[in-house]
Amino acid sequence: MRYRTAIGPSTYQFADLRTVLGKASPERSGDQLAGLAADTDQERVAARTVLADLPLSVFLDEAVVPYEEDEVTRLILDTHDTAAFARVAHLTVGGFRDWLLSYEATSPVLTALSPGLTPEMVAAVSKLMRNQDLMQIGRKCRVVTRFRNTIGLPGTLSVRLQPNHPTDDPRGVATSILDGLLYGCGDAVIGINPATDSIPAAINLLKLIDDVRQRYDIPTQSCVLTHITNTLAAIERGAPVDLAFQSIAGTEAANKSFGINLALLAEAHEATRSLHRGTVGENVMYFETGQGSALSAGAHHGVDQQTLETRCYAVARRFDPLLVNTVVGFIGPEYLYDGKQIIRAGLEDHFCGKLLGIPMGCDVCYTNHAEADQDDMDNLLTLLGVAGCTFVMGIPGADDIMLNYQSTSFHDALYVRSVLGLRPAPEFEAWLERMELLDDQRRVRELAPGGPQLARFVGELELS
């Protein structure tokens, strides 16, 4: 279907829905690289004008990636909840934006609505929003998940403790875990990106984290972020697997480039749940995403990167995950060129994920060849905290020495919790108190009495 509109003396035509979505997107380098971006600001305004007037129901009739060719499209359309959608079915995309900003769109209402929304609807409405709109609505969307603690409650911000090491050295990993715990981090997950694809090495890391967790009775969960087939192999070998991890994308072809499909994710979901290792819930999946992944795999079908990113969240939603995060600036400046584009993308991803009903966090990050710096990350971290982000990363010194990118530190997590009055997951906060890591105002102690007790584990590794 062709779409057209007039802006002043000029008339603009768009060949199909995916062209409208691409031209309406805020400026970003990935869409320019793919030839999908608006050529001028006036063309972008024209595309947004068309988009604002489109009925939401159009996205049920015109698939941006063909139904016959793509299992993600089939998942989106086959699981669409028409009863939930009925509340907003009469709206245009512009009207939907206005409704989302209204008092009527409360947290319970948005929770009930999410099964009736497709990723394309949500991506479309985000393209009409200012950053403050993304934050205001994202804050109203509450998604609570549970495994050994409760993540996503109002007034909380969780932190993934990321103790990566370039050689997976147990002492180095354990020291980073200790450092993070002393800063009150680790309630989202203690999650390691392994340096190799070795299954025995992954099992050793899982055992190390589980040893620390059990020894000090820490109400959190562990994860080694290896390929999901390695996690299945680890389960078969009796490893202490809490969460199954996988990077996911928004098209079948992009997921195939990752070596996965929906059936494999379902197998891992079932296998991990069968272990029954959770104590307060059974959310066992951890997914990571990032704008540009489908384009980098040559699997974008002519669709803009932000719309495809939002389609990732339909894949995630299918498996009821504990955690999902966008690694927002990790893929590089070819997709998000500078700090402004990274900040906008982070707010978009958080908004879209939460509105679709997933527990959305963000790796506030950039690569060293991007036009961005730590001040940009401070800005995005603060904005995400205001927006009600579920969790962020905690990395020693904000510098991942294994993956070679810049993220957020344990100190950054302390900062954003402090200035916005946010707290850890309640079970984890109670543990911090038991370990005497909090003062009488429930702040992380500068000199924690419980520190030497935790440090004993590192000392024992040194002697072993």
Side-chain angles (χ1 to χ4, degrees):
M1 180 185 296
R2 285 190 171 272
Y3 301 91
R4 60 185 294 168
T5 190
I7 301 290
S10 302
T11 298
Y12 291 88
Q13 295 194 56
F14 306 99
D16 50 28
L17 185 56
R18 63 185 175 185
T19 304
V20 175
L21 290 167
K23 301 287 188 182
S25 289
E27 183 178 3
R28 63 203 57 198
S29 53
D31 292 338
Q32 292 167 337
L33 178 69
L36 305 175
D39 293 327
T40 65
D41 288 337
Q42 191 172 35
E43 186 182 27
R44 183 173 293 110
V45 170
R48 289 178 180 175
T49 301
V50 169
L51 190 60
D53 290 338
L54 289 180
L56 287 176
S57 57
V58 164
F59 296 95
L60 299 175
D61 300 327
E62 187 175 348
V64 297
V65 181
Y67 182 93
E68 298 77 15
E69 299 175 16
D70 189 87
E71 68 173 358
V72 177
T73 299
R74 294 193 290 275
L75 171 70
I76 290 166
L77 294 178
D78 292 350
T79 62
H80 179 251
D81 188 331
T82 55
F85 180 58
R87 183 162 197 149
V88 296
H90 63 289
L91 296 175
T92 63
V93 176
F96 185 41
R97 173 191 174 275
D98 294 342
W99 180 83
L100 287 169
L101 289 165
S102 73
Y103 294 140
E104 181 184 346
T106 62
S107 294
V109 167
L110 294 177
T111 297
L113 175 65
S114 65
L117 299 177
T118 69
E120 291 84 355
M121 294 175 191
V122 173
V125 77
S126 76
K127 296 175 193 295
L128 304 182
M129 292 182 174
R130 294 169 56 185
N131 286 0
Q132 67 172 242
D133 299 336
L134 299 173
M135 294 161 61
Q136 182 175 346
I137 301 164
R139 186 176 181 84
K140 292 195 288 185
C141 300
R142 282 291 162 189
V143 183
V144 178
T145 56
R146 296 174 174 86
F147 188 74
R148 287 198 189 93
N149 57 30
T150 306
I151 295 170
L153 293 170
T156 66
L157 175 68
S158 294
V159 183
R160 170 186 161 192
L161 202 171
Q162 186 169 314
N164 294 347
H165 192 279
T167 64
D168 291 339
D169 177 70
R171 292 168 297 177
V173 170
T175 301
S176 293
I177 292 174
L178 167 65
D179 191 20
L181 292 172
L182 292 176
Y183 275 96
C185 297
D187 52 335
V189 63
I190 301 175
I192 303 172
N193 297 91
T196 73
D197 286 331
S198 162
I199 295 170
I203 292 173
N204 287 338
L205 290 172
L206 285 166
K207 289 179 177 177
L208 186 153
I209 306 173
D210 202 56
D211 192 358
V212 176
R213 182 190 65 79
Q214 291 196 64
R215 187 175 302 207
Y216 301 109
D217 195 24
I218 308 171
T220 190
Q221 35 283 331
S222 64
C223 187
V224 172
L225 282 69
T226 187
H227 193 271
I228 205 158
T229 53
N230 291 344
T231 301
L232 282 167
I235 291 173
E236 291 172 358
R237 300 183 192 185
V241 173
D242 289 343
L243 307 181
F245 166 82
Q246 184 57 49
S247 295
I248 56 174
T251 69
E252 179 179 346
N255 281 324
K256 185 177 180 180
S257 77
F258 290 160
I260 62 167
N261 55 33
L262 297 179
L264 181 60
L265 295 177
E267 179 185 351
H269 182 227
E270 182 179 353
T272 311
R273 285 193 66 181
S274 72
L275 300 178
H276 300 296
R277 290 175 57 83
T279 55
V280 298
E282 293 188 325
N283 301 112
V284 298
M285 302 300 284
Y286 176 15
F287 296 119
E288 285 190 344
T289 69
Q291 288 194 28
S293 59
L295 176 57
S296 68
H300 63 291
H301 293 269
V303 182
D304 69 275
Q305 65 184 42
Q306 189 259 335
T307 298
L308 291 182
E309 167 69 14
T310 307
R311 283 167 55 97
C312 297
Y313 309 151
V315 176
R317 182 168 63 177
R318 164 67 179 81
F319 300 104
D320 200 17
L322 180 76
L323 304 166
V324 180
N325 74 268
T326 169
V327 193
V328 66
F330 181 74
I331 302 180
E334 300 85 357
Y335 306 98
L336 296 169
Y337 178 72
D338 57 15
K340 182 175 182 178
Q341 292 187 12
I342 292 170
I343 289 169
R344 172 70 189 190
L347 295 176
E348 287 171 347
D349 295 350
H350 175 261
F351 160 82
C352 291
K354 283 290 188 63
L355 191 54
L356 286 167
I358 62 171
M360 199 70 198
C362 185
D363 189 343
V364 178
C365 65
Y366 63 101
T367 58
N368 286 309
H369 62 308
E371 291 295 321
D373 59 28
Q374 212 64 37
D375 287 338
D376 295 312
M377 300 306 102
D378 286 350
N379 293 343
L380 178 54
L381 175 64
T382 306
L383 295 174
L384 286 168
V386 173
C389 188
T390 299
F391 72 107
V392 295
M393 306 300 123
I395 300 171
D399 182 8
D400 192 305
I401 58 173
M402 195 278 283
L403 292 173
N404 293 309
Y405 79 114
Q406 309 304 309
S407 185
T408 46
S409 69
F410 305 138
H411 183 271
D412 294 330
L414 266 190
Y415 147 75
V416 74
R417 281 175 173 169
S418 174
V419 296
L420 297 177
L422 301 171
R423 298 165 71 168
E427 299 90 344
F428 190 81
E429 185 178 47
W431 175 80
L432 292 171
E433 189 170 31
R434 289 198 304 274
M435 293 297 294
E436 299 183 289
L437 299 179
L438 301 181
D439 64 16
D440 56 5
Q441 297 184 52
R442 306 186 75 77
R443 301 171 301 190
V444 172
R445 291 181 184 271
E446 294 180 358
L447 297 173
Q453 180 181 345
L454 287 169
R456 252 181 249 129
F457 182 77
V458 180
E460 289 167 8
L461 282 176
E462 292 281 357
L463 294 172
S464 65

